[in-house]
Amino acid sequence: MFNNIFNDDDNDRGQVGIGTLIVFIAMVLVAAIAAGVLVNTAGFLQATAEEAGQESVDKVTNRIEVINQHGTVGSNDDIANITLTVRLAAGSSSVNMNTTSIKYLSDTQVTTLTNSTDQSADAGNFSLFEVRDDDNSFGVLNSRDDRYEVTINTSAIESDTTGGLDTGSKVQLDITSQTGGTTQVILTMPQQLAGNEAGEPVKL
């Protein structure tokens, strides 16, 4: 009876040897490589998500605010120029007006304007004039105290039609910063300009 208890069965043996060790090490290496790939992928996805999130925030926040506007009477009883006074919108970081574009849309014309390097406005450019910039970084709004004037030559843009914006007409301006933040302004020209001389400013 005791022999039956203590005698080992020849078929019940542990698998040992160099082959088993190699297989075990290979499994550990495969698991380590897989874990490394997962960690790298997770890090890449996190960085991409953070970058996309920051770009989305910039599109919403990095824009300008138009605080007042006026037009200049032309020689044909029209509005020859539009001037906007701009500053940073609330919560916005710095906006470079030198890389900002303005989409101009009227009843007869549509064009995209960029900043003129010589401060002259024409059919393809707007002009930029400093009102207040404490750090002397021309064209860059980096404080809510900074102010710039943007002038658009409507006579040059509308030259194929009336030569300027007619009384009562409307124009839409989409001002877009380099990061994609957009400010939309819709202006209506005065209903009549009788008594106003050429070069005189009028409220819009």
Side-chain angles (χ1 to χ4, degrees):
M1 179 179 66
F2 292 102
N3 289 334
N4 291 336
I5 295 176
F6 292 104
N7 284 344
D8 292 332
D9 191 344
D10 291 340
N11 295 326
D12 296 335
R13 294 181 178 179
Q15 197 65 270
V16 296
I18 192 67
T20 303
L21 183 61
I22 292 174
V23 172
F24 175 74
I25 293 174
M27 292 175 61
V28 172
L29 289 175
V30 170
I33 293 172
V37 171
L38 290 175
V39 170
N40 289 338
T41 302
F44 173 76
L45 292 176
Q46 181 181 1
T48 302
E50 290 176 352
E51 182 179 354
Q54 186 59 51
E55 290 178 356
S56 299
V57 170
D58 290 343
K59 284 185 178 181
V60 175
T61 60
N62 287 359
R63 61 187 185 86
I64 68 168
E65 176 185 1
V66 177
I67 55 178
N68 58 61
Q69 60 276 325
H70 70 270
T72 303
V73 179
S75 57
N76 298 318
D77 290 332
D78 55 15
I79 299 299
N81 292 290
I82 292 174
T83 300
L84 313 173
T85 303
V86 300
R87 69 175 180 183
L88 279 180
S92 175
S93 59
S94 62
V95 172
N96 189 347
M97 294 299 296
N98 296 311
T99 55
T100 293
S101 62
I102 300 177
K103 182 179 179 180
Y104 174 102
L105 177 63
S106 68
D107 293 335
T108 58
Q109 298 291 331
V110 57
T111 187
T112 298
L113 309 173
T114 55
N115 184 24
S116 172
T117 56
D118 59 1
Q119 295 184 324
S120 62
D122 54 36
N125 296 284
F126 63 85
S127 62
L128 190 68
F129 297 94
E130 177 184 321
V131 177
R132 178 176 180 178
D133 190 349
D134 294 336
D135 61 0
N136 296 319
S137 55
F138 182 79
V140 180
L141 294 164
N142 46 30
S143 167
R144 288 272 287 173
D145 294 329
D146 292 347
R147 301 286 189 278
Y148 279 89
E149 280 191 346
V150 174
T151 300
I152 298 172
N153 188 337
T154 56
S155 290
I157 298 173
E158 304 283 345
S159 59
D160 293 339
T161 54
T162 62
L165 288 169
D166 288 333
T167 54
S169 62
K170 291 185 178 181
V171 62
Q172 175 179 312
L173 304 174
D174 294 330
I175 308 171
T176 305
S177 66
Q178 185 178 16
T179 58
T182 300
T183 299
Q184 185 178 94
V185 182
I186 298 177
L187 303 174
T188 302
M189 303 305 108
Q191 292 298 325
Q192 57 87 23
L193 294 172
N196 296 105
E197 298 180 357
E200 184 176 345
V202 291
K203 184 178 180 180
L204 300 179

